[in-house]
Amino acid sequence: YYGEELHQGSLYIIRRLGDPSTDEAWTDELWRYSPEGQAGLLFSGRAISFLTAPDESLSAITYSVDETESGSTSRMAFARPDGSLVHEISGRLFFPGYNFQPLEWTGGSELWAALVGGPQPMALLRVTPASWRLEVFDLTALSVGEYDLNPDTARLAFSDYPFMFDADAPASLVENQTPITLWVLDLETQELRTIATTIARPFGPTWLSATTLEYNHPEEEGRIFTILE
């Protein structure tokens, strides 16, 4: 078993059947165990990840479909606690070859997800299950490295501090005196605000509330915060 969430006493957990490296028929299963211990299969598919709404009304489940002509395609399904499938979105509608990554449910039960190619998000999606309205926010023109999304205010805090795949990369940033900038993007208005700049240091942005953003001090050790109205 791997990948689990606990909501109101109910356990959601992924079970893998078979070994992807040796078994062509391998699959994943998402199960729900009620507080009374009753087990129910919600979904089965390959390379499952999921995010269940706090009220358990829906689970957003991403999985991979092997399409012979175009290769693997990511899809995102929405299932009720009884396992009934109510909606599905295909990644081929947006950026073929990229994967869905559920991020957060809002207090109003909207789902935010990312379309990712490697570690960098290419776009953010907001899904409103009440009407199945789907909004796409393209990020390809931005240098999004580390980031944190405020789901209720649709604000994205991010910097251009690069993802590290080499142990020597941080030292290289310092040697080159690489400037790093922290921004906040209002996804709905597209207003981009510069928050701070530093040299060769990550900011590690984290939203503490709808208006309070915490991040690493640009020049000293420790964390500071700013309030954005």
Side-chain angles (χ1 to χ4, degrees):
Y1 291 92
Y2 73 100
E4 61 183 56
E5 293 182 15
L6 189 63
H7 295 280
Q8 304 181 95
S10 296
L11 175 66
Y12 293 76
I13 192 168
I14 295 174
R15 178 188 181 193
R16 174 155 291 179
L17 302 177
D19 185 342
S21 63
T22 59
D23 186 358
E24 292 185 359
W26 74 274
T27 190
D28 292 334
E29 295 179 342
L30 175 60
W31 286 79
R32 176 182 182 268
Y33 292 85
S34 72
E36 296 74 33
Q38 296 177 329
L41 176 64
L42 298 189
F43 194 84
S44 62
R46 290 192 168 185
I48 284 179
S49 66
F50 73 99
L51 190 64
T52 298
D55 64 0
E56 293 190 88
S57 58
L58 289 172
S59 291
I61 307 162
T62 68
Y63 67 105
S64 179
V65 176
D66 187 12
E67 299 180 346
T68 304
E69 295 182 358
S70 58
S72 180
T73 297
S74 180
R75 295 186 182 179
M76 184 160 55
F78 292 83
R80 294 193 178 100
D82 63 1
S84 57
L85 184 67
V86 294
H87 195 69
E88 189 172 61
I89 304 169
S90 173
R92 293 189 65 187
L93 296 173
F94 310 103
F95 295 87
Y98 296 118
N99 297 316
F100 287 114
Q101 180 184 1
L103 297 177
E104 293 187 74
W105 288 91
T106 70
S109 294
E110 296 174 323
L111 175 76
W112 283 93
L115 272 172
V116 297
Q120 182 175 5
M122 309 305 293
L124 294 180
L125 311 177
R126 180 166 57 184
V127 184
T128 305
S131 61
W132 295 117
R133 180 187 181 191
L134 176 61
E135 299 165 271
V136 182
F137 303 92
D138 191 343
L139 302 178
T140 54
L142 303 173
S143 298
V144 179
E146 54 181 355
Y147 70 94
D148 192 39
L149 173 69
N150 192 320
D152 292 309
T153 62
R155 285 174 168 176
L156 181 70
F158 71 97
S159 87
D160 51 1
Y161 189 82
F163 291 98
M164 300 295 182
F165 300 102
D166 186 337
D168 297 327
S172 178
L173 292 180
V174 174
E175 180 181 352
N176 296 326
Q177 290 291 282
T178 305
I180 305 296
T181 304
L182 175 66
W183 293 279
V184 168
L185 173 65
D186 186 316
L187 292 165
E188 294 179 333
T189 66
Q190 291 298 294
E191 177 188 0
L192 185 64
R193 185 186 305 188
T194 300
I195 303 301
T197 58
T198 189
I199 298 296
R201 294 162 60 98
F203 280 104
T206 302
W207 289 102
L208 301 181
S209 70
T211 58
T212 305
L213 178 67
E214 182 186 64
Y215 54 93
N216 295 334
H217 195 290
E219 299 175 357
E220 305 171 1
E221 295 302 319
R223 305 275 284 175
I224 58 176
F225 67 90
T226 187
I227 297 177
L228 305 171
E229 297 299 337

